[in-house]
Each structure stands twice: as C-alpha cells, then as structure tokens.
Amino acid sequence: DLPVTPPMFSSMGELKSVTFLGRDGMGGDVYNLVFANGKAIMSAGLDTEGRMAGGILRPLKGSAPTPGTEAALRSLVSGLASGSPDYDKLSPQFAQIVRRDLPSTHGLFSSMGELKSVTFLGRGDMGDDAYDLVFSKGGVIMSASLDADGKMAGGFFQPVAPPAR
C-alpha cells in the first residue's frame, strides 16, 4: 500500500480533524478523518510494543448522501434487529447475502438496542454512502448503495464499540 498512500493523503490536503468513533471487533481504534479535500475512515491496531500492527483505510468522497440510502439503511437495520428484513427492499443478489448472514447479523443488531443516531460520513470508492450508526449499546460504520430501482444493492458494516462517555 505504501506507493499509493502518500499521494492519496497528499491529494486530500491538510488534516482538519480526527474524531474517535469507537473500537472495532479486532481491538483497533476507529477514527473519522476530515481533510481539507476529503474524508476517510481509518482503523488502527497496535502491537504490545505500541507499533501499528494493522488497520483499514477507507477514503470517502462526496458531501451529501445519495437520496434514499439512509432510509434503506434504517429499514435494513430494523429488519436485522427484529430478525425479519424486508427482502423486497433489497436487490435479489443482496437479499441472498442478507439471508445467508442473518443468523449472525440478527444477534449483533438485536444486542445493540435502540438506534440513537445516523450520521453521513461520505461516499466510498464503490459509490456507497457510509454512515456512523450509534445505538444505545454499540455502534457500526455501515454503508449502502442503491440499484436503479432504489433497492439496496450492497454495503458493508464494521462494528465499533462507542467511546466511553
């Protein structure tokens, strides 16, 4: 990744803010980075000697979400928490993935309690809109992309433990 990282950070300009979002499922810290010309979600895990041992960098673009992605996410999250997603609101391919993963995603989303807030973070490289979802007992960074019919066609999620308040 080293050949691509410096030019990418250079093109995003000055780092304006770093916001701690929580801890990921592998013990790393997850941050929202805001630059003069862009945004990124970055996680970082340290080894026992305090050196960076791993992490994920996800550049984000766009200052406004695609219409409908937040509603699609809210609907999917509600369905995952209840154990009954509305598959008619999902593309056929994405519906298959959601069905396959429901045993694990239902447990995760039902355990986090009430959805408290949804904050748009930016657009990912694949055209998906990324959001920070905060629940009463947890959180996730989650994205959504819609197909031409307005159905949710894909996305990712990364659980994060909310910062201690």
Side-chain angles (χ1 to χ4, degrees), residues 3-161:
V4 226
T5 308
M8 182 194 63
F9 279 117
S10 178
S11 72
M12 294 201 310
E14 179 185 355
L15 180 62
K16 298 290 189 178
S17 70
V18 177
T19 306
F20 177 64
L21 297 175
R23 304 210 21 105
D24 66 19
M26 301 197 310
D29 293 340
V30 181
Y31 298 92
N32 182 30
L33 309 176
V34 178
F35 297 86
N37 303 316
K39 297 179 185 178
I41 298 294
M42 184 172 183
S43 67
L46 304 179
D47 66 14
T48 56
E49 296 175 17
R51 296 176 301 209
M52 190 160 170
I56 296 172
L57 176 66
R58 182 172 168 82
L60 300 172
K61 306 167 202 150
S63 58
T66 304
T69 55
E70 181 179 339
L73 268 184
R74 286 178 179 273
S75 174
L76 179 60
V77 165
S78 174
L80 293 173
S82 71
S84 301
D86 185 348
Y87 295 107
D88 291 336
K89 292 184 177 182
L90 308 176
S91 72
Q93 298 85 358
F94 191 55
Q96 286 180 332
I97 294 167
V98 171
R99 273 190 191 92
R100 179 196 71 204
D101 295 346
L102 188 59
S104 61
T105 55
H106 169 61
L108 171 71
F109 284 93
S110 65
S111 72
M112 289 192 291
E114 180 186 355
L115 179 61
K116 297 289 191 176
S117 68
V118 177
T119 305
F120 175 68
L121 297 172
R123 190 158 301 117
D125 288 338
M126 305 294 285
D128 55 332
D129 290 347
Y131 292 87
D132 178 22
L133 282 70
V134 177
F135 296 82
S136 57
K137 299 177 197 164
V140 295
I141 304 296
M142 193 168 182
S143 75
S145 61
L146 304 179
D147 65 12
D149 297 324
K151 294 183 177 193
M152 190 165 170
F156 80 94
F157 75 92
Q158 177 178 3
V160 293

